[in-house]
Amino acid sequence: MQKRLALSKLKSFKAPSFLAALAGVAAAAVVLSVAELIGAFFTARATPVIALGSTFIDFTPPWLKDFAIATFGTGDKAALFVGMGLTIALLACVLGVVAYRNWALGAAGVLLMGAVIVASVVTRAGVKPSDALPSIVGTVAGLIVLRLLITRLWRLRSFPDAPAGVAAKAPERPATSRRAFFAAAGLAAAGAGIAAAGGRLLSTARSNVAQARASLRLPTPLQAAAAVPAGVQSATPGVTPWLTPNGDFYRIDTALSVPEINADEWELRVHGLVEKELRLTFQDLLDADLIESHVTLTCVSNPVGGNLAGNAKWLGLPIRDVLRRARPRDGADMVLSTSIDGFSASTPLEVLQDGRDAMLAIGMNGEPLPLEHGYPVRMVVPGLYGFVSATKWVVDLEVTRFADSKAYWTQRGWSERGPIKTMARVEVPKSFAVVPAGRVAVGGTAWAQTRGIEKVEVQIDGGDWLPALLSDEASVVTWRQWSFDWDAKPGSHYIKVRATDATGEVQTEKRADPVPDGASGWQSVMVTVE
């Protein structure tokens, strides 16, 4: 009997804690879903999950960002959301248990979390103080739900279930019970799910940006893109398409929620160390003398052999034309470009004024920019990594000095200037592939934007460097593909590749991590020949 009583006490101790944790999770779901529903009438950056995630990204150290991209690639944002969900659930469990044992302390914890959410919202770029309202209402709603659920648990504590083998006491239990608690918690969770779904539907219904983009007809450029030679694609089957489709183009940025900007309301401010401040509308760009150019973009976080690079045909207004109108003053050496979500990039002024096709792009591969790639306007600058040049959803260009202003990632330990390093990668066969003995087709891509690729060489098992067959070159600002026929013998083998740019500089063997100015080294692929 004593053993049964001990087990009963242990279960009665554990059960309320578990149920209190469950109450905390249900309350947290209400906080987020109510804020999501009300946030449909505000900016997307006003929702707690987006604001918290964006704040986390702002404080992410370079090594953690690099780890996330290396591990998850373009799925880094999905991984962040999963991690945030688990963290929020864990904190909610703790707050639920604390509230069960000490309501005042638990309520204070909920209010503190609400304050953190509100602070994350109001400190986002382009957010008004009124945008904190969804988070405030959500926090209040969650606190009410938590109180209702915890109250039911307190009643259970006052009228515990009788242990097995012990006769029940005479006092009648209140109507509430574990079953009633689970019903209330389930109702709260269902309501949270409905509110969250309703918020997303409302946001979609209220937004007409996607429809406006779909109906936009791009103007004919004054300068069309140069004709692409017929032989740009590698002869090796399986090598990346020379022209990257929009849907396959890599996306690395700091925006958890894709900004939805009405093109009719978009405006670019050009100011700072200039003789004449400018304000350009989207219609100004449509009416301007636009150019078209194939340009390969590369992310600074791309590891050796990585896939964070893409080649597209861009349509836009040359930035040098904009700067010619603004007339930068003596001493200026940098343009700080800023996105509507607060991201900024530092681009050397001379790069934007030389002969390369740096542009304010409005088109990508013959259609308006996709929303996730910067619609309605982004920057495209050949020869520089994206973190110092490829600002999406751009709304501000400040002509300034490197000594006076720091960009988003420069403040976090990355370099001020980001010229792209010469790089070659093996795409076929993949690392650890098993291939049959005999003729094996090897192929891949190399790039050295603004310099061009002069030579690609392949090395098998540390032997001599052998020349690969280069595909035709479209321009020095696009990547160049290559192929190589290998007479493979049975066994395990290592394939290395290196490129030489048109200045005669050979890709360095020295390994370097992406931080602070891009990865370097020769890629090595191991294959098994049978």
Side-chain angles (χ1 to χ4, degrees):
M1 176 66 70
Q2 290 181 346
K3 185 176 182 180
R4 288 182 179 179
L5 287 173
L7 287 173
S8 176
K9 289 180 179 179
L10 181 62
K11 290 179 180 178
S12 65
F13 174 77
K14 288 184 176 180
S17 295
F18 169 77
L19 297 179
L22 185 62
V25 173
V30 169
V31 171
L32 300 178
S33 60
V34 169
E36 179 86 21
L37 178 62
I38 300 175
F41 299 93
F42 295 78
T43 175
R45 295 185 294 282
T47 58
V49 173
I50 298 301
L52 285 171
S54 299
T55 300
F56 175 81
I57 289 176
D58 285 349
F59 290 96
T60 299
W63 66 265
L64 183 55
K65 170 185 178 290
D66 189 50
F67 170 79
I69 294 176
T71 305
F72 303 107
T74 54
D76 59 333
K77 292 180 176 60
L80 174 61
F81 279 125
V82 171
M84 284 180 55
L86 294 175
T87 302
I88 291 172
L90 179 61
L91 289 175
C93 288
V94 172
L95 287 176
V97 173
V98 171
Y100 173 72
R101 297 178 179 178
N102 185 322
W103 170 252
L105 192 58
V110 173
L111 293 175
L112 177 61
M113 288 300 298
V116 170
I117 294 172
V118 169
S120 297
V121 169
V122 298
T123 53
R124 304 314 305 159
V127 171
K128 304 184 292 294
S130 59
D131 290 324
L133 184 61
S135 296
I136 294 174
V137 175
T139 300
V140 172
L143 193 60
I144 292 173
V145 168
L146 182 62
R147 176 72 184 195
L148 292 175
L149 294 176
I150 293 298
T151 298
R152 282 165 169 74
L153 292 181
W154 287 338
R155 291 175 183 171
L156 283 172
R157 182 174 60 185
S158 301
F159 296 88
D161 291 331
V166 178
K169 297 283 185 177
E172 295 184 1
R173 290 174 51 78
T176 185
S177 65
R178 278 187 174 82
R179 183 175 300 174
F181 170 82
F182 280 116
L187 185 62
I194 293 172
R200 293 189 185 93
L201 290 174
L202 273 174
S203 296
T204 302
R206 287 171 55 83
S207 174
N208 59 2
V209 172
Q211 295 90 326
R213 175 192 172 275
S215 62
L216 177 63
R217 295 295 175 263
L218 296 175
T220 301
L222 177 68
Q223 174 190 310
V228 177
V232 293
Q233 183 66 40
S234 170
T236 302
V239 169
T240 299
W242 182 83
L243 188 69
T244 309
N246 290 354
D248 296 335
F249 208 95
Y250 76 94
R251 179 195 165 197
I252 297 292
D253 52 54
T254 61
L256 282 182
S257 174
V258 176
E260 295 192 355
I261 305 173
N262 187 330
D264 292 336
E265 299 174 358
W266 176 86
E267 184 179 69
L268 177 71
R269 181 188 178 203
V270 184
H271 63 107
L273 298 177
V274 295
E275 297 294 335
K276 180 181 180 181
E277 183 171 319
L278 302 177
R279 290 184 182 271
L280 301 176
T281 66
F282 191 69
Q283 189 61 50
D284 290 333
L285 297 189
L286 294 178
D287 295 339
D289 293 335
L290 305 183
I291 62 171
E292 235 179 13
S293 181
H294 289 96
V295 178
T296 296
L297 300 185
T298 309
C299 180
V300 71
S301 296
N302 194 45
V304 174
N307 61 357
L308 300 181
N311 185 50
K313 182 173 70 173
W314 307 93
L315 170 70
L317 175 65
I319 297 177
R320 58 178 176 269
D321 292 353
V322 176
L323 294 174
R324 189 179 299 119
R325 291 176 54 191
R327 301 194 302 277
R329 295 176 182 168
D330 292 341
D333 60 5
M334 185 260 277
V335 173
L336 186 71
S337 56
T338 304
S339 165
I340 196 171
D341 70 341
F343 171 83
S344 59
S346 55
T347 310
L349 179 61
E350 69 271 13
V351 168
L352 300 177
Q353 294 178 306
D354 63 17
R356 73 187 74 190
D357 290 334
M359 68 177 80
L360 296 169
I362 63 172
M364 180 178 182
N365 288 335
E367 62 181 67
L369 287 173
L371 268 63
E372 64 272 19
H373 288 294
Y375 177 87
V377 184
R378 67 169 294 166
M379 287 177 61
V380 171
V381 182
L384 299 182
Y385 288 118
F387 82 110
V388 296
S389 67
T391 304
K392 302 173 185 175
W393 314 290
V394 62
V395 293
D396 190 276
L397 296 181
E398 179 187 4
V399 179
T400 180
R401 301 182 182 92
F402 280 105
D404 298 335
S405 301
K406 300 296 180 183
Y408 184 93
W409 285 116
T410 305
Q411 298 173 23
R412 291 159 174 80
W414 295 74
S415 64
E416 291 182 334
R417 305 165 188 259
I420 294 175
K421 299 177 181 179
T422 301
M423 184 66 67
R425 69 185 182 196
V426 179
E427 299 173 20
V428 179
K430 300 293 185 184
S431 191
F432 304 112
V434 178
V435 299
R439 180 187 176 278
V440 173
V442 182
T445 307
W447 55 81
Q449 290 92 314
T450 71
R451 302 182 300 279
I453 294 295
E454 183 68 27
K455 180 170 59 175
V456 171
E457 298 170 291
V458 176
Q459 183 189 67
I460 307 296
D461 297 331
D464 295 335
W465 285 101
L466 304 173
L469 176 64
L470 288 177
S471 300
D472 290 343
E473 182 178 63
S475 76
V476 296
V477 298
T478 61
W479 57 19
R480 193 170 187 182
Q481 299 193 329
W482 57 271
S483 56
F484 179 80
D485 286 338
W486 172 36
D487 184 15
K489 307 297 183 184
S492 296
H493 300 278
Y494 289 88
I495 305 172
K496 284 187 178 180
V497 64
R498 70 181 184 186
T500 301
D501 67 26
T503 69
E505 182 178 351
V506 180
Q507 175 183 344
T508 180
E509 181 184 10
K510 183 179 179 181
R511 301 288 296 200
D513 292 330
V515 181
D517 59 359
S520 67
W522 297 339
Q523 183 189 9
S524 181
V525 173
M526 191 198 83
V527 298
T528 300
V529 179
E530 294 182 342

